[in-house]
Amino acid sequence: MNPNQPNSLPPTYFDDVYRANEDPWGFETSDYEREKYATTLAALPQSQYARAFEIGCSLGVLTEQLAARCEHLLAVDVAEAPLQRARQRCAHLPRVEFQLLRVPEEFPVPAAFNLIVVSEVGYYWSPADLARATDQIVAGLAAGGQLLLVHWTPPVHDYPLTGDEVHTFFLQKTLANGPLRHLHGQRYEQYRLDLLEKI
């Protein structure tokens, strides 16, 4: 944990970031992101998921690609500006629903998702919020439902956690006594990916 940033990053942080740059992380243009999205989708073992939940959808670039694998996809973000772009991008996809929503303060009810994607968002949470979010996500998975974690691993000075800390926490908390099992894990040069399944 970064001792200088013990709290989760607030929605205003992201409002400011998107005010300064419409695509601050190069989701639409970066070769790194394009390759990571391909790897993310390739890691999903099922061709279709009935109900999926993407936490932190941003501009909806991954959302649009993920939608082809989902009968219904709920995609949420804490900032309205990227959500507007995501809605425009996915306007041709009636199976995608967008909401302004902040996990863990809010979580969709009822849940029973067959897939939950936590990509490039966990390190914005404080350790306490990560613990709360983990409990909500595990509870929100249907039996046999899958959780896909994908995170940048180098430290970022103003993020409360690193990607490795997020994945290590999920794995330690959910695998020791269940209720998840680890299906697949892979480390790449700048990010890691872990796929878990609810027993």
Side-chain angles (χ1 to χ4, degrees), residues 9 20 35 44 51 53 66 68 71 81 92 96 98 108 112 117 127 146-147 155 158 186 188 197:
L9 296 184
E35 183 274 334
L44 296 174
R51 296 189 70 234
F53 180 33
L66 191 59
E71 295 174 25
H92 62 294
V96 180
F98 290 100
V117 177
Q146 294 173 352
L147 166 63
D158 54 351
Q186 185 68 47
Y188 299 89
E197 184 175 78

Side-chain angles (χ1 to χ4, degrees), residues 138 141-145 174-175 177-182 196-199:
V138 171
L141 282 170
T174 62
L175 296 182
N177 301 303
L180 304 184
R181 64 188 180 112
H182 194 227
L196 301 95
E197 184 175 78
K198 191 165 186 179
I199 300 169

Side-chain angles (χ1 to χ4, degrees), residues 55 103-104 107 116 118 122 125-141 147 149 161 165-175 178-180 196 198:
I55 301 175
V103 176
F107 199 87
I116 298 179
V118 182
W125 289 322
S126 67
D129 280 346
L130 174 62
R132 289 176 60 201
T134 301
D135 289 341
Q136 292 171 336
I137 288 166
V138 171
L141 282 170
L147 166 63
L149 305 170
L161 297 168
E165 288 172 326
V166 171
H167 286 234
T168 297
F169 183 85
F170 265 101
L171 293 171
Q172 289 179 344
K173 183 174 176 65
T174 62
L175 296 182
L180 304 184
L196 301 95
K198 191 165 186 179

